[in-house]
Amino acid sequence: MSDGRAFQDGYPEDVAHCYGCGRLNEAGIQLKSYWDGDETVARYTPRPEHTAIPGYVYGGLVASLIDCHGTGSAAAAGSRVAGVDEASEPLLRYVTASLQVDYLAPTPMGVELEVRGVIEQVRGRKVVVEETVSAGDAVVARGRVVAVQMPQTMTPAEEPVETRRR
């Protein structure tokens, strides 16, 4: 397991508000991803509000975990290739260009989910991440994220209203 900070903790403050992985979104999932050897890993236990039908997780949560773990993995891999010091500098921020999710089995509630990623490609501003989501020993979903480095036009001009109110 990684000794360093979570990838998402390396996002610059002005772009750390994502519902799935933003450390500044108190109502969000706040997914945390790390290096685990050559792979990336995140763990998350669904909350009651993530129920699809009693006993099972809403598929949108599974897609969100794949999405946010994929962009976090892309930020870490892209930053590593660019020579960014992952331990102390802000990571390059990536956004989703393509998200593919294949559901393989119903995802049970009450079980910690593990999301694992493998960096398939880092080329220019694009990173491709292949992922699995497991509940215990069962792989319940597979996914693929194509992430691109966030365009400068997406950088907020000012602090979001929600954080100014605190």
Side-chain angles (χ1 to χ4, degrees):
M1 198 58 130
S2 171
D3 295 333
R5 68 180 173 174
F7 305 154
Q8 296 84 353
D9 290 338
Y11 291 169
E13 286 207 10
D14 60 344
V15 290
H17 297 84
C18 174
Y19 176 78
C21 60
R23 72 181 182 281
L24 300 178
N25 189 331
E26 293 177 10
I29 296 166
Q30 297 188 352
L31 187 69
K32 304 291 186 191
S33 304
Y34 303 89
W35 286 111
D36 185 14
D38 291 336
E39 295 184 345
T40 60
V41 65
R43 290 180 176 81
Y44 186 76
T45 302
R47 301 185 303 239
E49 62 266 26
H50 298 129
T51 298
I53 59 172
Y56 296 95
V57 174
Y58 162 61
L61 174 68
V62 174
S64 291
L65 296 176
I66 291 170
D67 184 17
C68 287
H69 183 66
T71 56
S73 297
S79 293
R80 185 174 272 185
V81 168
V84 172
D85 180 358
E86 295 174 61
S88 62
E89 295 180 56
L91 297 184
L92 300 173
R93 187 67 163 94
Y94 282 74
V95 293
T96 306
S98 175
L99 171 64
Q100 178 184 345
V101 179
D102 294 319
Y103 298 96
L104 307 176
T107 303
M109 288 295 289
V111 177
E112 181 180 67
L113 304 180
E114 180 181 83
V115 188
R116 287 208 160 261
V118 174
I119 308 301
E120 291 293 324
Q121 178 187 100
V122 180
R123 183 176 297 155
R125 297 174 55 87
K126 178 176 99 170
V127 178
V128 179
V129 185
E130 297 285 340
E131 300 175 63
T132 59
V133 178
S134 299
D137 293 333
V139 175
V140 296
R142 293 190 192 283
R144 181 176 191 264
V145 171
V146 177
V148 294
Q149 195 172 345
M150 187 180 83
Q152 196 65 24
T153 57
M154 287 183 69
T155 302
E158 64 178 60
E159 188 176 2
V161 172
E162 297 82 8
T163 59
R164 285 193 307 237
R165 291 185 191 157
R166 290 188 207 166

